[in-house]
Amino acid sequence: EDQVTQSPEALRLQEGESSSLNCSYTVSGLRGLFWYRQDPGKGPEFLFTLYSAGEEKEKERLKATLTKKESFLHITAPKPEDSATYLCVAGGFKTIFGAGTRLFVKA
Amino acid sequence: DGGITQSPKYLFRKEGQNVTLSCEQNLNHDAMYWYRQDPGQGLRLIYYSQIVNDFQKGDIAEGYSVSREKKESFPLTVTSAQKNPTAFYLCASSGTGGRAKNIQYFGAGTRLSVL
């Protein structure tokens, strides 16, 4: 069965404390692995697409990486404004959404 | 600015009432989607449309209906048959051709509650 599992469900960091969010996926015919940021009460905002194992993408303090079974979203020296829910999405024959990781960054 | 506009932001439904959520896009995208988001769950697909005058059921279509008469518009009706409609509803669209068609762009959402 196709599925996307994100961990942890919630992550609390101090400002400047780097960490990683995990996304494990089992999807038939993977065409792309997507990361989105979602703020409370708003729609998801597109961050990255990764298409093949070994690929990496960076944007400000965020870096996304992809293996054949997992994707990681690394957050370097986070700031309070990075607090949000981060969604992992696997695009295959169907599009499967993970439940998200809620990130809280305290000043 | 190009984007996806959902309205209203908040909507309240009375027992036995049908309500319609609006979704308009000016991105010239062919494909449009409706999702439902509940706390602690991933987004679930209600309906999608890849071209005007055509749409397909998603995983949780029961109690919902859609139309796609114009490329720019994809309204969702939550009917009285949907017994648990309270949720956050998200509309998305994606382009066609190559890898661009895989990236979905989302509206700001409509929060539906039952009175």
Side-chain angles (χ1 to χ4, degrees), chain B:
Chain B
D1 285 338
I4 302 173
T5 301
Q6 290 187 241
S7 63
K9 187 172 177 64
Y10 300 98
L11 187 59
F12 297 91
R13 194 191 87 167
K14 294 180 181 179
E15 194 75 30
Q17 185 182 40
N18 293 351
V19 293
T20 297
L21 286 61
S22 171
C23 178
E24 304 277 333
Q25 56 101 356
N26 61 3
L27 299 169
N28 199 33
H29 285 169
D30 285 316
M32 297 186 74
Y33 312 81
W34 274 106
Y35 293 94
R36 170 178 172 142
Q37 188 173 36
D38 294 283
Q41 297 188 37
L43 274 67
R44 292 182 291 168
L45 183 64
I46 304 173
Y47 268 98
Y48 66 99
S49 168
Q50 294 184 313
I51 197 169
V52 174
N53 292 322
D54 186 56
F55 49 82
Q56 306 295 327
K57 292 182 179 180
D59 299 319
I60 56 165
E62 185 174 351
Y64 301 97
S65 66
V66 294
S67 63
R68 186 85 188 278
E69 297 177 0
K70 298 187 301 181
K71 185 175 183 177
E72 301 79 17
S73 179
F74 192 40
L76 174 73
T77 297
V78 183
T79 75
S80 57
Q82 172 50 245
K83 298 306 179 186
N84 183 25
T86 297
F88 191 51
Y89 290 87
L90 288 161
C91 178
S93 70
S94 64
T96 56
R99 289 177 165 177
K101 67 179 180 181
N102 294 320
I103 302 173
Q104 295 185 24
Y105 296 91
F106 288 84
T110 292
R111 186 164 300 281
L112 175 61
S113 302
V114 176
L115 289 177

Side-chain angles (χ1 to χ4, degrees), chain A residues 2-22:
Chain A
D2 291 346
Q3 61 181 4
V4 172
T5 304
Q6 292 188 245
S7 62
E9 289 186 12
L11 180 62
R12 298 180 184 275
L13 300 174
Q14 288 291 130
E15 184 173 5
E17 180 186 0
S18 301
S19 189
S20 296
L21 282 56
N22 176 263

